[in-house]
Amino acid sequence: MKADLSHVDTWLFDLDNTLYPAESGFMAEIVDRMTDFVERVTGLPRDEAFRLQKAYLAEHGLTLKGMMLNHGVDPKDFHAIFHDMSLDALAHDAALLSALERLPGRRLIFTNADDIHAERVLKHLGLGHLFDDVFHIGTADYEPKPSLKAFERMGELHGIEPATTCFFEDSERNLAPAHDLGMTTVLVGPWAPQSTAAFVHHRTDKLAPFLMDAQLKPAA
């Protein structure tokens, strides 16, 4: 069934594993680099560094937050480890570009990554010109999704009206606060069809076909 998104005029998108397919493997390299960083900073064996990384992610919504609070890590040093990553795994998706172009109103990025990473990825995907702004972890004062503070800060900065906003994410738990605020929520990725969370309004394994099929507000 086509999703009825005719009430939406603000389109909010996560970046990694949402605007490109999780199957690309790009996020796996990001995770490997994070583990390298945690291992180097803490001196822990790699398996323990990986467990700590995941524990911080679960507790704070972001590995970096745990590293900042418990190890005094400068976020700029952390984010720098991703700035030379090869983007070859990320392919242009003409269908996604067309699907995004047809969305009426504002398009915004809401990511736990930093501005440099977001700009590199969007430029490589050929999508940067389609978005009005990028709300990144620095703009959020390092308060990551799913923290309600991050959503409130983003909402204040961009004058978000939740009732007319749709949020697309690959992380199920990051959709919960969006739902609580009154946004329409869409879970994206190969795991999405199996989701049973009540706070997820729509689920799709592929973003472009979902957007192309959705019922939108008529053009003014």
Side-chain angles (χ1 to χ4, degrees):
M1 293 180 61
K2 293 184 178 181
D4 184 357
L5 302 180
S6 57
H7 62 291
V8 177
D9 59 19
T10 298
W11 307 86
L12 197 58
F13 291 87
D14 173 50
L15 177 65
D16 290 304
N17 276 3
T18 299
L19 288 184
Y20 60 80
E23 298 89 335
S24 70
F26 186 65
M27 181 55 73
E29 184 178 348
I30 290 176
V31 172
D32 281 345
R33 290 194 176 207
M34 276 193 268
T35 306
D36 291 342
F37 184 86
V38 174
E39 184 180 10
R40 184 168 66 253
V41 170
T42 64
L44 291 170
R46 188 170 185 80
D47 59 340
E48 292 182 31
F50 180 77
R51 285 196 293 272
L52 183 64
Q53 170 192 334
K54 292 302 183 182
Y56 285 159
L57 177 64
E59 181 178 358
H60 302 290
L62 192 65
T63 297
L64 170 60
K65 188 73 172 182
M67 296 299 290
M68 291 171 64
L69 292 173
N70 297 294
H71 307 276
V73 164
D74 185 329
K76 292 182 180 179
D77 293 338
F78 178 83
H79 287 299
I81 68 176
F82 309 114
H83 295 166
D84 66 346
M85 287 181 63
S86 169
L87 303 177
D88 291 346
L90 305 180
H92 282 241
D93 186 342
L96 179 58
L97 189 147
S98 297
L100 290 169
E101 284 181 332
R102 73 184 290 259
L103 301 179
R106 295 185 297 170
R107 309 178 198 98
L108 303 167
I109 297 292
F110 184 12
T111 177
N112 280 346
D114 77 335
D115 53 343
I116 296 174
H117 174 81
E119 289 167 8
R120 289 185 76 227
V121 170
L122 287 171
K123 181 178 180 180
H124 183 82
L125 292 172
L127 302 176
H129 65 289
L130 295 176
F131 292 91
D132 295 273
D133 199 9
V134 174
F135 186 89
H136 55 85
I137 193 64
T139 321
D141 198 23
Y142 299 97
E143 196 64 52
K145 297 175 290 184
S147 167
L148 185 60
K149 290 180 181 178
F151 282 83
E152 290 174 341
R153 187 175 178 88
M154 182 272 302
E156 291 170 2
L157 182 64
H158 290 291
I160 297 294
E161 174 52 58
T164 57
T165 298
C166 188
F167 184 35
F168 297 80
E169 253 279 3
D170 70 293
S171 173
E172 185 179 81
R173 70 173 182 165
N174 287 348
L175 292 173
H179 173 274
D180 292 344
L181 288 169
M183 297 181 190
T184 300
T185 58
V186 183
L187 184 62
V188 180
W191 44 80
Q194 284 71 52
S195 169
T196 59
F199 53 80
V200 176
H201 294 115
H202 304 284
R203 301 161 178 83
T204 182
D205 58 341
K206 303 293 184 183
L207 182 57
F210 176 86
L211 293 175
M212 288 301 294
D213 288 345
Q215 181 179 340
L216 306 180
K217 180 182 296 185

mmCIF file of all heavy atoms in Angstrom, residues 143-162:
data_model
loop_
_atom_site.group_PDB
_atom_site.id
_atom_site.type_symbol
_atom_site.label_atom_id
_atom_site.label_comp_id
_atom_site.label_asym_id
_atom_site.label_seq_id
_atom_site.Cartn_x
_atom_site.Cartn_y
_atom_site.Cartn_z
ATOM 1 N N GLU A 143 25.042 16.015 21.705
ATOM 2 C CA GLU A 143 23.932 15.296 22.333
ATOM 3 C C GLU A 143 23.284 14.470 21.225
ATOM 4 O O GLU A 143 22.556 14.992 20.387
ATOM 5 C CB GLU A 143 22.932 16.294 22.910
ATOM 6 C CG GLU A 143 21.962 15.702 23.902
ATOM 7 C CD GLU A 143 22.624 15.183 25.160
ATOM 8 O OE1 GLU A 143 23.392 15.922 25.797
ATOM 9 O OE2 GLU A 143 22.360 14.005 25.497
ATOM 10 N N PRO A 144 23.577 13.173 21.158
ATOM 11 C CA PRO A 144 23.168 12.386 19.985
ATOM 12 C C PRO A 144 21.736 11.858 20.043
ATOM 13 O O PRO A 144 21.132 11.760 21.120
ATOM 14 C CB PRO A 144 24.156 11.206 20.035
ATOM 15 C CG PRO A 144 24.403 11.000 21.500
ATOM 16 C CD PRO A 144 24.388 12.388 22.102
ATOM 17 N N LYS A 145 21.204 11.548 18.871
ATOM 18 C CA LYS A 145 20.006 10.720 18.830
ATOM 19 C C LYS A 145 20.327 9.421 19.575
ATOM 20 O O LYS A 145 21.443 8.934 19.459
ATOM 21 C CB LYS A 145 19.638 10.372 17.377
ATOM 22 C CG LYS A 145 19.289 11.540 16.485
ATOM 23 C CD LYS A 145 19.059 11.093 15.036
ATOM 24 C CE LYS A 145 20.332 10.647 14.349
ATOM 25 N NZ LYS A 145 20.142 10.307 12.917
ATOM 26 N N PRO A 146 19.411 8.858 20.325
ATOM 27 C CA PRO A 146 17.992 9.203 20.442
ATOM 28 C C PRO A 146 17.646 10.166 21.579
ATOM 29 O O PRO A 146 16.492 10.203 22.016
ATOM 30 C CB PRO A 146 17.362 7.837 20.712
ATOM 31 C CG PRO A 146 18.382 7.120 21.548
ATOM 32 C CD PRO A 146 19.718 7.571 20.979
ATOM 33 N N SER A 147 18.597 10.934 22.060
ATOM 34 C CA SER A 147 18.316 11.891 23.125
ATOM 35 C C SER A 147 17.247 12.890 22.685
ATOM 36 O O SER A 147 17.322 13.464 21.598
ATOM 37 C CB SER A 147 19.588 12.653 23.503
ATOM 38 O OG SER A 147 19.288 13.778 24.313
ATOM 39 N N LEU A 148 16.269 13.095 23.545
ATOM 40 C CA LEU A 148 15.225 14.059 23.240
ATOM 41 C C LEU A 148 15.805 15.461 23.101
ATOM 42 O O LEU A 148 15.290 16.282 22.322
ATOM 43 C CB LEU A 148 14.156 14.036 24.338
ATOM 44 C CG LEU A 148 12.921 14.916 24.105
ATOM 45 C CD1 LEU A 148 12.190 14.505 22.830
ATOM 46 C CD2 LEU A 148 11.992 14.831 25.312
ATOM 47 N N LYS A 149 16.909 15.730 23.818
ATOM 48 C CA LYS A 149 17.545 17.044 23.721
ATOM 49 C C LYS A 149 18.004 17.329 22.296
ATOM 50 O O LYS A 149 17.921 18.465 21.823
ATOM 51 C CB LYS A 149 18.736 17.125 24.674
ATOM 52 C CG LYS A 149 18.371 17.153 26.142
ATOM 53 C CD LYS A 149 19.619 17.243 26.998
ATOM 54 C CE LYS A 149 19.279 17.250 28.481
ATOM 55 N NZ LYS A 149 20.502 17.300 29.332
ATOM 56 N N ALA A 150 18.508 16.299 21.627
ATOM 57 C CA ALA A 150 18.952 16.476 20.238
ATOM 58 C C ALA A 150 17.780 16.857 19.346
ATOM 59 O O ALA A 150 17.887 17.750 18.494
ATOM 60 C CB ALA A 150 19.609 15.202 19.733
ATOM 61 N N PHE A 151 16.655 16.180 19.534
ATOM 62 C CA PHE A 151 15.467 16.478 18.730
ATOM 63 C C PHE A 151 14.940 17.879 19.030
ATOM 64 O O PHE A 151 14.532 18.611 18.123
ATOM 65 C CB PHE A 151 14.384 15.436 18.995
ATOM 66 C CG PHE A 151 14.610 14.141 18.290
ATOM 67 C CD1 PHE A 151 15.456 13.179 18.826
ATOM 68 C CD2 PHE A 151 13.995 13.864 17.075
ATOM 69 C CE1 PHE A 151 15.677 11.972 18.173
ATOM 70 C CE2 PHE A 151 14.201 12.671 16.413
ATOM 71 C CZ PHE A 151 15.048 11.720 16.968
ATOM 72 N N GLU A 152 14.960 18.249 20.295
ATOM 73 C CA GLU A 152 14.456 19.573 20.666
ATOM 74 C C GLU A 152 15.351 20.673 20.097
ATOM 75 O O GLU A 152 14.853 21.691 19.616
ATOM 76 C CB GLU A 152 14.373 19.677 22.186
ATOM 77 C CG GLU A 152 13.268 18.814 22.781
ATOM 78 C CD GLU A 152 13.272 18.803 24.295
ATOM 79 O OE1 GLU A 152 14.319 19.150 24.906
ATOM 80 O OE2 GLU A 152 12.240 18.412 24.878
ATOM 81 N N ARG A 153 16.661 20.454 20.158
ATOM 82 C CA ARG A 153 17.591 21.446 19.619
ATOM 83 C C ARG A 153 17.414 21.584 18.108
ATOM 84 O O ARG A 153 17.397 22.693 17.572
ATOM 85 C CB ARG A 153 19.026 21.043 19.952
ATOM 86 C CG ARG A 153 20.085 22.099 19.593
ATOM 87 C CD ARG A 153 21.457 21.657 20.060
ATOM 88 N NE ARG A 153 22.493 22.603 19.711
ATOM 89 C CZ ARG A 153 22.859 23.643 20.449
ATOM 90 N NH1 ARG A 153 22.245 23.859 21.604
ATOM 91 N NH2 ARG A 153 23.813 24.452 20.045
ATOM 92 N N MET A 154 17.294 20.458 17.435
ATOM 93 C CA MET A 154 17.079 20.472 15.993
ATOM 94 C C MET A 154 15.759 21.153 15.652
ATOM 95 O O MET A 154 15.680 21.973 14.732
ATOM 96 C CB MET A 154 17.103 19.038 15.454
ATOM 97 C CG MET A 154 16.943 18.892 13.956
ATOM 98 S SD MET A 154 15.208 18.796 13.449
ATOM 99 C CE MET A 154 14.672 17.368 14.381
ATOM 100 N N GLY A 155 14.723 20.848 16.421
ATOM 101 C CA GLY A 155 13.416 21.434 16.175
ATOM 102 C C GLY A 155 13.391 22.931 16.365
ATOM 103 O O GLY A 155 12.762 23.666 15.592
ATOM 104 N N GLU A 156 14.094 23.406 17.402
ATOM 105 C CA GLU A 156 14.160 24.844 17.666
ATOM 106 C C GLU A 156 14.932 25.568 16.572
ATOM 107 O O GLU A 156 14.528 26.637 16.109
ATOM 108 C CB GLU A 156 14.817 25.083 19.028
ATOM 109 C CG GLU A 156 13.961 24.638 20.210
ATOM 110 C CD GLU A 156 14.732 24.673 21.511
ATOM 111 O OE1 GLU A 156 15.916 25.079 21.497
ATOM 112 O OE2 GLU A 156 14.158 24.278 22.556
ATOM 113 N N LEU A 157 16.055 24.979 16.158
ATOM 114 C CA LEU A 157 16.897 25.621 15.157
ATOM 115 C C LEU A 157 16.192 25.760 13.815
ATOM 116 O O LEU A 157 16.334 26.774 13.119
ATOM 117 C CB LEU A 157 18.194 24.821 14.982
ATOM 118 C CG LEU A 157 19.218 25.393 14.001
ATOM 119 C CD1 LEU A 157 19.734 26.746 14.495
ATOM 120 C CD2 LEU A 157 20.383 24.424 13.819
ATOM 121 N N HIS A 158 15.406 24.758 13.463
ATOM 122 C CA HIS A 158 14.789 24.741 12.129
ATOM 123 C C HIS A 158 13.285 25.004 12.148
ATOM 124 O O HIS A 158 12.636 24.905 11.098
ATOM 125 C CB HIS A 158 15.080 23.407 11.447
ATOM 126 C CG HIS A 158 16.512 23.237 11.065
ATOM 127 N ND1 HIS A 158 17.097 23.978 10.057
ATOM 128 C CD2 HIS A 158 17.494 22.446 11.576
ATOM 129 C CE1 HIS A 158 18.367 23.634 9.941
ATOM 130 N NE2 HIS A 158 18.636 22.717 10.857
ATOM 131 N N GLY A 159 12.748 25.338 13.297
ATOM 132 C CA GLY A 159 11.323 25.634 13.360
ATOM 133 C C GLY A 159 10.473 24.461 12.920
ATOM 134 O O GLY A 159 9.531 24.596 12.137
ATOM 135 N N ILE A 160 10.814 23.274 13.424
ATOM 136 C CA ILE A 160 10.124 22.054 13.017
ATOM 137 C C ILE A 160 8.721 21.995 13.607
ATOM 138 O O ILE A 160 8.532 22.186 14.811
ATOM 139 C CB ILE A 160 10.915 20.805 13.475
ATOM 140 C CG1 ILE A 160 12.293 20.752 12.805
ATOM 141 C CG2 ILE A 160 10.120 19.530 13.207
ATOM 142 C CD1 ILE A 160 12.266 20.548 11.323
ATOM 143 N N GLU A 161 7.747 21.704 12.769
ATOM 144 C CA GLU A 161 6.393 21.410 13.208
ATOM 145 C C GLU A 161 6.224 19.890 13.106
ATOM 146 O O GLU A 161 6.085 19.354 11.993
ATOM 147 C CB GLU A 161 5.369 22.122 12.332
ATOM 148 C CG GLU A 161 3.918 21.760 12.633
ATOM 149 C CD GLU A 161 3.566 21.912 14.092
ATOM 150 O OE1 GLU A 161 3.719 23.033 14.629
ATOM 151 O OE2 GLU A 161 3.147 20.894 14.702
ATOM 152 N N PRO A 162 6.263 19.169 14.228
ATOM 153 C CA PRO A 162 6.258 17.706 14.183
ATOM 154 C C PRO A 162 5.105 17.107 13.382
ATOM 155 O O PRO A 162 5.290 16.099 12.700
ATOM 156 C CB PRO A 162 6.177 17.310 15.665
ATOM 157 C CG PRO A 162 6.824 18.442 16.391
ATOM 158 C CD PRO A 162 6.402 19.666 15.626
#
